[in-house]
Amino acid sequence: GFGKTLSGTYCIIDKILENKKQNIAIIGPTWKHVKNIMVEGRSGILNNFPHKIEYFSTKGILKYGNTTCYLFSAESYNSLRGHEFGWAWIDELGSCSYSEEIFDQITMCLRQQDSKMIITTTPCDIPILHYINSNKKTHITSGTSFENRENLSELFIQNIEKYQGSHFEQQEILGQLISTSSNWKLSDIQCYDPILLDSIKFEHIIIGVDPAIGRGTTGIIITGFYRGNSYILEDLSTSESILQWSETIINKYRYYED
């Protein structure tokens, strides 16, 4: 809700209007994303470009004067091979299935002296974004959905306020790059009434198993995930035999599947 896609659009439009002889790469997680959001969408290039720009949708090309923009889906990152670009724009890198591959491939295509890459993305907890964030040559601009309040409906603002204090709010609304892989702190853990947990329709439920070596304890934890938070539903860790605890897992799988 901060307006990051529109920011990327205006940046690319400025480069196109320089009317230099240059090629620009425009990359999104999927072809539909590139077409429907980055190019044809409300915040896309076509709806914000001040002049008539040639758009060859079947070829994946935008052309204005001496500048040509080539459209790519991150799913087909190998199609970048052989190209050379002065600028590149990647939208939602954090949502790309092949985020590291597309970043590596486009980096190899930016070989000119003044080549630059623009990345507009929700700061998902993935290695490539942590790498980019820590790079001293990276210029970071961040913002929250609340800062863009005047362009958002009041109902939307009211709806997102319920996520206050959650990891979902930190990442999706406040635009913060957080690491969920670090060790848990006691302050991160809250206790909930079992009755409350019964009322939650979890998005995912995972049964985690750490098999024992020898006569040790097999760790079995059942976790539910809902709106960016994790809930420990059951701890079934046991010293039983593999036949016994595997049967327990199967029964629990059937229970939660229903």
Side-chain angles (χ1 to χ4, degrees):
F2 176 60
K4 57 186 179 299
T5 300
L6 186 60
S7 299
T9 291
Y10 282 147
C11 190
I12 291 301
I13 287 176
D14 285 345
K15 292 306 299 179
I16 294 173
L17 291 176
E18 289 179 1
N19 202 20
K20 296 192 302 186
K21 187 173 180 58
Q22 60 181 334
N23 294 334
I24 298 174
I26 297 175
I27 306 164
T30 64
W31 177 249
K32 279 188 175 181
H33 183 99
V34 176
K35 179 177 181 290
N36 297 338
I37 296 177
M38 302 175 73
V39 177
E40 299 178 14
R42 180 181 176 186
S43 298
I45 294 172
L46 292 183
N47 282 319
N48 293 280
F49 202 79
H51 309 297
K52 181 176 176 58
I53 184 171
E54 294 182 280
Y55 176 37
F56 306 94
S57 58
T58 56
K59 295 181 179 179
I61 289 176
L62 288 166
K63 190 169 179 59
Y64 179 80
N66 294 317
T67 299
T68 303
C69 299
Y70 294 88
L71 315 182
F72 297 92
S73 164
E75 296 174 316
S76 305
Y77 57 88
N78 274 320
S79 61
L80 284 163
R81 291 181 180 275
H83 286 278
E84 183 173 331
F85 300 105
W87 278 68
W89 173 29
I90 306 178
D91 192 40
E92 293 297 359
L93 178 62
S95 301
C96 294
S97 299
Y98 302 97
S99 55
E100 294 195 28
E101 288 85 351
I102 193 66
F103 180 80
D104 290 342
Q105 285 293 345
I106 190 58
T107 297
M108 297 301 294
C109 297
L110 298 172
R111 299 189 287 269
Q112 299 173 12
Q113 289 289 342
D114 58 348
S115 292
K116 287 183 175 59
M117 184 191 313
I118 306 162
I119 299 174
T120 50
T121 186
T122 301
C124 302
D125 181 24
I126 58 174
I128 190 62
L129 287 188
H130 284 285
Y131 165 77
I132 294 169
N133 187 64
S134 64
N135 192 319
K136 293 181 180 179
K137 295 182 179 180
T138 301
H139 175 80
I140 299 174
T141 300
S142 62
T144 74
S145 297
F146 297 111
E147 293 177 66
N148 194 31
R149 191 174 192 137
E150 64 181 40
N151 296 309
L152 303 172
S153 73
E154 193 57 37
L155 178 60
F156 175 80
I157 296 297
Q158 292 173 6
N159 285 336
I160 64 176
E161 285 176 347
K162 64 185 176 183
Y163 300 115
Q164 186 175 3
S166 67
H167 284 167
F168 183 88
E169 181 196 42
Q170 288 179 280
Q171 176 178 287
E172 302 292 333
I173 300 169
L174 302 182
Q176 297 174 0
L177 180 59
I178 57 176
S179 178
T180 56
S181 59
S182 58
N183 294 331
W184 290 98
K185 305 181 186 69
L186 187 59
S187 59
D188 294 329
I189 301 174
Q190 300 179 37
C191 294
Y192 291 87
D193 190 318
I195 297 176
L196 174 62
L197 295 180
D198 287 340
S199 66
I200 297 177
K201 187 175 182 181
F202 292 104
E203 298 160 358
H204 305 286
I205 293 180
I206 294 177
I207 302 177
V209 183
D210 184 11
I213 298 176
R215 297 182 181 180
T217 300
T218 293
I220 304 174
I221 300 291
I222 301 178
T223 306
F225 295 89
Y226 181 69
R227 290 182 175 174
N229 292 314
S230 305
Y231 299 83
I232 304 300
L233 304 180
E234 296 188 61
D235 182 351
L236 303 174
S237 301
T238 178
S239 297
E240 295 177 338
S241 69
I242 185 172
L243 292 177
Q244 291 173 307
W245 62 253
S246 60
E247 184 177 355
T248 298
I249 291 171
I250 292 170
N251 290 336
K252 286 297 177 179
Y253 169 80
R254 290 170 178 164
Y255 171 80
Y256 284 103
E257 186 181 34
D258 297 333

